[in-house]
Amino acid sequence: MNNKKLEDLRSARWFAPDNLRGFGHRSRIMQMGYAPADWAGKPVIAILNTWSDINPCHAHFKTRVDDVKRGILQAGGFPVELPTLSLSENFVKPTTMLYRNMLAMEAEELIRSHPVDGVVLMGGCDKTTPGLLMGATSAGLPSIYVPAGPMLRGNWKGKILGSGSDAWKYWDERRAGNISDKDWQDIEGGIARSHGHCMTMGTASTMTAIAEAIGMTLPGASSIPAADVNHIRMCAEAGRRAVEMVWEDLTPAKVQSRGAFDNAIAVAMAMGCSTNAVIHLIAMARRAGHALTLDDLDAVSRYVPVIANVRPSGSQYLMEDFFYAGGLPALMRIISKFLSLEEITVNGCTIGQNIAEAEVYNDDVIRPLNNPIYAEGALAVLKGNLATDGCVIKPCAMEARLLKHTGPAIVFDDYPALKEVIDSDDFDVTADHVLILRNAGPQGGPGMPEWGMLPIPAKLVKQGVRDMVRISDSRMSGTSYGACILHAAPESYVGGTLALVRNGDLIRVDVDKRSIELLVSAAELATRREAMPQPEPRFGRGYGWMFAQHILQADKGCDFDFLESGFGETAGEPAIF
Ligand code: FES
């Protein structure tokens, strides 16, 4: 396919004209040692690289970008690397979620303002996938996503360790006095053994699988471990493909149909996805012009079973095992009756064509539909007076006895208040209590930090309690687990009902009925609301101030209102005078 002509290349606006500006652009490219043979008549491919010295998940991107460039050169393109906000989940505080939209804005404007025709997006650590894809969607140029790939399995004394999940698990054991200092240090050194993103079914593995399901990666790309040489070959292939996509004018708008997002929801559910997927999927879809809602996700979760036996939803395996078992194409083939197989993907083929020959090599890792990990989908959306616009729970990663629960509330106004008492032997708490954390949402957090897996009080841990109902307007890490009810919308900081709960109020949760109720009369809640003080603003200036003015609530995906599709006219091509 060759739809686009040489003179139609966007980059030609910068490089082709025989005028003073054209002279300036050409002479400055030559300043870097290039000759016209390097760029003239070739698609310029931007590589948005989220490598940084402090992002261990993307450590290999520093050299892996050379493989992408090799592919671009082989296919007759001209690669230009554009360093992009790295958003290391571990190190960026208070939370990377505060900056996902900043990455999306940066990606969009980098693409728009530079002389490029197509884009390779290099990301993987949690927010980088939605951030880059949202930006590329709004920019509209042919784009392909290169996922960082999961790291190798962790190892400690011959035991397999999973990112996040085992950190929480062994931390509880340490708090219960069951783990020595030496063992703890050895776990620190063994849990992350290679570059690559978290290798549980956390947010990173979930979001890269979603990128593949919506057709924005090469088939199978999201499952390849970062340290596997197949990853290097995939990078080069993505580079080659980016050049072809320019000639084919295969833009994100042509790939990211509503059917593609419906496929992504089904894949997310079958994978036992991170709860964060809900927010990012809604934001990505709304960028692409599709009004995806929490109800859409809940509807799919009721009929697509969890078939990926990958922790924390699964009990045993990690992403490395998932790759050896056939990876995402194999999983998609198993759930193909739930998919729209005609959706086009970045390799120019349909989803149906891409998965036609996929095979499962280990049916304990990728289960058949009649032997799932969990019969219903990974997530459930609850609604009621405590979350009128909805909240999310992960039934497949919690103790089943808590699916229906009524208990008295213990309320914390912020995380420091919780930390002060949670490990105290004097803390008056039982396993039936419902722990509540408020002021942790998009505005109140600010940035909706991953505090939602509130620690089990140490006193209860020592008694053997490992799960209890916890409710907040925050998020939790995709590697977390337990009866944690998250993303309560509207959040408490803007007046959601969570702000009105008092210690001892009864709360009733029924996952089967999808309900969450604060058992306090409407009249009493109205009285409490009148007495509620106005919260202090979180920011007085800068990016945070802008964030506070424009961030949408969790049920809308937490995008900035002015970035969503349909807000206004997209900026046209930049003027070149
Ligand atoms: Fe980067 Fe988990 S810290 S994916």
Side-chain angles (χ1 to χ4, degrees), residues 521-554:
S521 71
E524 167 63 15
L525 290 179
T527 306
R528 291 184 192 180
R529 185 174 295 285
E530 272 186 19
M532 198 169 67
Q534 277 298 311
E536 289 293 310
R538 292 289 193 249
F539 299 99
R541 62 172 295 281
Y543 172 79
W545 181 86
M546 185 182 77
F547 180 96
Q549 307 303 310
H550 295 287
I551 190 74
L552 295 169
Q553 288 288 291

Side-chain angles (χ1 to χ4, degrees), residues 227-274:
D228 191 307
V229 290
N230 282 290
H231 194 270
I232 297 176
R233 286 192 283 270
M234 181 271 291
C235 285
E237 175 60 21
R240 287 190 289 272
R241 187 60 202 147
V243 178
E244 294 165 3
M245 286 172 68
V246 171
W247 295 124
E248 295 166 12
D249 200 26
L250 186 52
T251 58
K254 292 175 184 166
V255 174
Q256 296 185 91
S257 59
R258 174 61 202 238
F261 280 98
D262 289 338
N263 286 344
I265 299 172
V267 163
M269 296 305 162
M271 295 282 274
C273 64
S274 158

Side-chain angles (χ1 to χ4, degrees), residues 44-50 61 64-65 67-69 71-72 78-84 107 110-111 116-123 132-133 136 141-147 216 218 234-246:
V44 180
I45 307 296
I47 306 170
L48 268 54
N49 188 354
T50 50
F61 278 173
R64 207 56 56 87
V65 69
D67 302 299
V68 176
K69 289 179 180 173
I72 293 169
F78 180 58
V80 293
E81 184 179 352
L82 300 175
T84 311
L110 274 177
I111 295 167
V116 300
D117 302 292
V119 186
V120 178
L121 306 158
M122 298 181 74
L132 288 169
L133 285 170
L141 295 187
S143 302
I144 187 168
Y145 192 70
V146 168
M216 291 300 288
L218 291 171
M234 181 271 291
C235 285
E237 175 60 21
R240 287 190 289 272
R241 187 60 202 147
V243 178
E244 294 165 3
M245 286 172 68
V246 171

Side-chain angles (χ1 to χ4, degrees), residues 55 57 89-90 124-126 197-198 204:
N55 190 339
C57 303
E89 192 63 27
N90 303 99
C125 190
D126 290 22
H197 62 68
C198 292

Side-chain angles (χ1 to χ4, degrees), residues 72-139:
I72 293 169
L73 291 167
Q74 285 168 350
F78 180 58
V80 293
E81 184 179 352
L82 300 175
T84 311
L85 189 62
S86 188
L87 289 189
S88 169
E89 192 63 27
N90 303 99
F91 293 105
V92 172
K93 305 296 178 196
T95 163
T96 52
M97 191 61 192
L98 191 59
Y99 299 108
R100 181 200 67 183
N101 297 345
M102 183 186 240
L103 172 60
M105 289 175 78
E106 185 192 19
E108 178 180 349
E109 300 306 331
L110 274 177
I111 295 167
R112 182 173 293 122
S113 60
H114 282 86
V116 300
D117 302 292
V119 186
V120 178
L121 306 158
M122 298 181 74
C125 190
D126 290 22
K127 313 303 178 294
T128 56
T129 300
L132 288 169
L133 285 170
M134 287 158 71
T137 298
S138 297

